Amino acid sequence: MGSSSQAAEQPNILFIAIDDLRPELGCYGSEIAITPHLDALAADGMRFDRAYCQQAICRPSRASLMTGTRPETTGLFHNYVSLRELQPDVLTLPEHFIDHGYETAYVGKIFHHGDTDEERSWSREAARWLGPEMTKPKGPFRLPENVQLRRENFEEMFAKYGEAARRGLASGPAFESADVPDHAYIDGYNTLLAVKTMQQMAKADKPFFLGMGYHLPHLNWCAPKKYWDLYDPNDIPLVTDGAAPEEGAAMGLHASFELRTRSNIPKHGPIDADLARTLKHAYLASTSYVDAQIGMLTAALDEAGVRDNTIIVVWGDHGWHLGDMGVWGKATNYEIATRVPLIIWTPDMQARGESTDALVELVDIYPTLCELSGVPQPEHLEGHSFVPLLNQPDQPWKSAAFSQYPNPALREWAANPLSQEMRETWFGPLIQDVEQRIKAQQGDQWDRELFEEHLMGYTMRTDRYRLVLWRDHRNPEAEPLFVELYDHQTDPQETKNIAAENPDLVRELTRQHNNGWRQALPKT
């Protein structure tokens, strides 16, 4: 078979990743988010209402999705170890597609920084230049005062801690609204590069796999002013119950470390309502900005004449607390952090414009794209293709979805163990507060090395319940140190842990969890 024939038969893939995006979109029922392009894609494709990441932080989540394996297999649980360091031979999704006749390229953030895997996962370099009149943005900020503030903060921390300052000890402000064109920030600039790359790849004699990874709405929330102007701050609703779950795990929540490292955020104490509204405004503006870029990207498919032979998949790598449970950030085992947006459009799907409540996981994307493209599934995969849902979205499906996260309360915001430098900064009092709460709850079980280095929260989401088992990662067969159980039928916001009053149900669900993901697969 010639390559031109192969290109005609195999679909292209437009693979869109969005960092830190919870399902705060119009098509997911957001009260206020303005996201017309993603809404339109969902209206003509399929929206997955219960899709879950495997760990609610960037590098482990993306490594899991891009390898089709779960964190316990990758061994990657935080942001400061590379995928290839742990799994030098694993076959990634784009690498597998290269082996089966595809040209692959990416722009932006697909793998986490440091895992870009240039030599193996990508067969061609994406466009890198848009001409002398359009230079690549440097740094997150455009306003001179914010550029200066960021530089001063880094200089101060570098003077104290050297290279350790790079690990989340300094930053500029959490947000910015500058009256600049879209390409003045990196996501807009990268979209133009992706469009140019697509135009080049569409002319080739191979099907293409093009990844476009958006940085927003990851902090810092810097978006052009016109997207801020879409929203009236007075109309932005805030979380009404920002309390930790009643009887929940003291180690289940963190002190919003990632947000607090920003220069204009209080280092201790609550985030007041005015600031909370500004932060949510910034998140929404960032989301609308990304939505507009995705509109440009999908329109470019039509302009290139390849839309009718292209699969579009849009996914977020994890959710994000916007004051929910009193937390700002990702990095928990709860619904708000583990649930992600997932939208698929294919040329020949039958259930067009529908949604599904089926439990699916990001680890399922690899086998799904294989099946949709006629590419064989490698044996190492630990997900399950959800292609059947694209034709019959209401059929019985997985009985559970699985995620995990090492103790969020006593980890840095990249999920790595606490450093001495972090303890010495203004993070110190926050860490002490959390530690005291854990000691008060856990009593004789408290052991610093265990809780900081080895405690893992394993969570399972079934149709009705969320179970969280807090276990020593060195001995996952041992009895959990603490258990959480939330009933989504009566408590969808996960406000009360009911594990203590439901021991039989806990035993039943723990048994189901211990049986693992394979036992949760659809029965065929």
Side-chain angles (χ1 to χ4, degrees):
M1 179 183 294
S3 58
S4 60
S5 173
Q6 183 181 34
E9 292 179 9
Q10 288 187 282
N12 304 307
I13 297 170
L14 179 57
F15 185 77
I16 302 173
I18 310 177
D19 208 339
D20 285 18
L21 180 66
R22 68 195 230 160
E24 193 74 36
L25 303 171
C27 57
Y28 276 95
S30 172
E31 301 174 52
I32 193 169
I34 299 172
T35 52
H37 301 288
L38 285 168
D39 297 349
L41 187 65
D44 196 41
M46 178 166 288
R47 186 189 75 233
F48 290 79
D49 286 344
R50 295 197 295 185
Y52 296 90
C53 69
Q54 276 43 79
Q55 188 175 322
I57 196 153
C58 301
R59 197 168 201 158
S61 175
R62 290 165 185 261
S64 174
L65 187 157
M66 296 298 286
T67 64
T69 60
R70 297 169 188 270
E72 289 297 317
T73 297
T74 67
L76 208 163
F77 306 114
H78 63 75
N79 280 357
Y80 291 127
V81 63
S82 73
L83 174 62
R84 287 298 183 196
E85 181 181 343
L86 298 176
Q87 300 295 332
D89 300 319
V90 71
L91 184 66
T92 70
L93 171 59
E95 185 181 13
H96 184 53
F97 272 67
I98 292 170
D99 291 343
H100 291 275
Y102 275 74
E103 192 87 272
T104 68
Y106 80 99
V107 179
K109 185 178 177 183
I110 297 296
F111 289 95
H112 189 70
H113 307 301
D115 277 344
T116 51
D117 206 37
E118 307 285 350
E119 293 183 0
R120 290 173 55 174
S121 289
W122 311 106
S123 63
R124 68 178 289 156
E125 187 176 5
R128 289 288 181 260
W129 196 61
L130 295 172
E133 72 287 347
M134 198 175 293
T135 58
K136 183 177 181 178
K138 293 181 179 179
F141 302 108
R142 299 284 73 83
L143 298 178
E145 60 269 30
N146 290 337
V147 174
Q148 180 179 350
L149 185 57
R150 181 177 185 270
R151 183 175 61 252
E152 291 172 352
N153 287 346
F154 270 100
E155 287 174 352
E156 179 184 355
M157 282 296 176
F158 270 111
K160 289 182 179 180
Y161 302 115
E163 284 300 308
R166 295 189 187 278
R167 295 195 174 194
L169 299 183
S171 181
F175 51 84
E176 177 180 276
S177 170
D179 193 3
V180 295
D182 286 11
H183 65 260
Y185 290 115
I186 193 63
D187 280 340
Y189 184 85
N190 280 344
T191 299
L192 297 177
L193 290 178
V195 168
K196 186 174 181 179
T197 304
M198 180 195 300
Q199 292 167 344
Q200 295 168 352
M201 296 178 84
K203 295 174 183 177
D205 61 356
K206 289 184 177 183
F208 67 75
F209 181 111
L210 176 60
M212 174 62 224
Y214 288 98
H215 291 268
L216 288 174
H218 189 292
L219 287 165
N220 302 309
W221 296 317
C222 301
K225 180 178 180 295
K226 65 181 178 181
Y227 297 103
W228 288 74
D229 291 346
L230 293 174
Y231 299 93
D232 181 341
N234 296 318
D235 294 335
I236 296 175
L238 298 181
V239 170
T240 54
D241 182 10
E246 184 180 343
E247 306 298 330
M251 54 277 190
L253 296 168
H254 51 74
S256 307
F257 296 139
E258 183 178 10
L259 178 65
R260 290 188 191 274
T261 195
R262 270 64 195 178
S263 60
N264 57 345
I265 303 299
K267 305 310 179 192
H268 201 269
I271 305 296
D272 66 41
D274 287 343
L275 179 56
R277 183 166 281 106
T278 300
L279 294 174
K280 189 166 183 181
H281 189 175
Y283 187 92
L284 289 164
S286 299
T287 301
S288 292
Y289 169 50
V290 169
D291 177 79
Q293 308 317 301
I294 291 173
M296 290 178 56
L297 199 55
T298 54
L301 287 173
D302 291 309
E303 293 163 9
V306 295
R307 175 66 179 265
D308 291 342
N309 191 38
T310 301
I311 296 161
I312 305 172
V313 53
V314 179
W315 53 275
D317 58 354
H318 43 68
W320 224 84
H321 292 251
L322 287 168
D324 314 85
M325 299 183 174
V327 166
W328 293 81
K330 53 229 180 204
T332 77
N333 278 305
Y334 300 115
E335 184 85 358
I336 202 73
T338 58
R339 180 171 169 249
V340 299
L342 176 61
I343 300 170
I344 301 273
W345 186 95
T346 76
D348 54 1
M349 61 193 297
Q350 295 177 25
R352 194 169 298 284
E354 297 190 36
S355 62
T356 177
D357 283 331
L359 295 166
V360 299
E361 302 170 277
L362 290 185
V363 76
D364 298 333
I365 289 178
Y366 192 147
T368 298
L369 291 179
C370 286
E371 183 172 349
L372 287 171
S373 305
V375 169
Q377 296 183 30
E379 293 182 358
H380 76 274
L381 297 185
E382 296 177 343
H384 186 77
S385 170
F386 49 71
V387 167
L389 295 172
L390 301 179
N391 299 322
Q392 187 184 339
D394 57 352
Q395 64 182 287
W397 204 244
K398 285 186 180 183
S399 60
F402 298 84
S403 308
Q404 62 190 94
Y405 201 93
N407 184 354
L410 295 177
R411 289 271 171 148
E412 298 189 10
W413 59 268
N416 51 304
L418 291 167
S419 66
Q420 184 58 35
E421 292 85 1
M422 190 167 175
R423 287 187 179 281
E424 291 177 7
T425 65
W426 41 263
F427 284 105
L430 296 172
I431 295 167
Q432 291 174 11
D433 288 350
V434 173
E435 191 175 285
Q436 290 306 313
R437 288 199 297 271
I438 296 173
K439 287 178 178 178
Q441 182 183 70
Q442 298 299 313
D444 293 342
Q445 292 192 115
W446 166 257
D447 174 89
R448 185 181 302 277
E449 181 186 359
L450 167 61
F451 276 77
E452 286 193 15
E453 302 286 340
H454 307 296
L455 188 63
M456 181 71 75
Y458 295 94
T459 182
M460 179 181 73
R461 176 67 156 90
T462 69
D463 179 61
R464 179 169 176 175
Y465 298 102
R466 174 170 298 281
L467 177 76
V468 187
L469 303 172
W470 293 95
R471 286 174 158 163
D472 184 339
H473 189 249
R474 298 166 297 184
N475 186 16
E477 305 303 317
E479 284 296 305
L481 279 75
F482 196 80
V483 178
E484 296 177 87
L485 177 65
Y486 300 94
D487 184 349
H488 274 253
Q489 183 171 295
T490 59
D491 182 24
Q493 304 305 313
E494 298 179 345
T495 63
K496 179 175 172 56
N497 174 19
I498 60 170
E501 59 215 63
N502 292 276
D504 292 342
L505 179 56
V506 166
R507 276 192 292 273
E508 176 188 337
L509 290 171
T510 300
R511 189 179 309 114
Q512 181 181 352
H513 176 275
N514 292 346
N515 286 337
W517 62 267
R518 289 180 177 86
Q519 295 300 314
L521 296 179
K523 303 299 185 285
T524 56

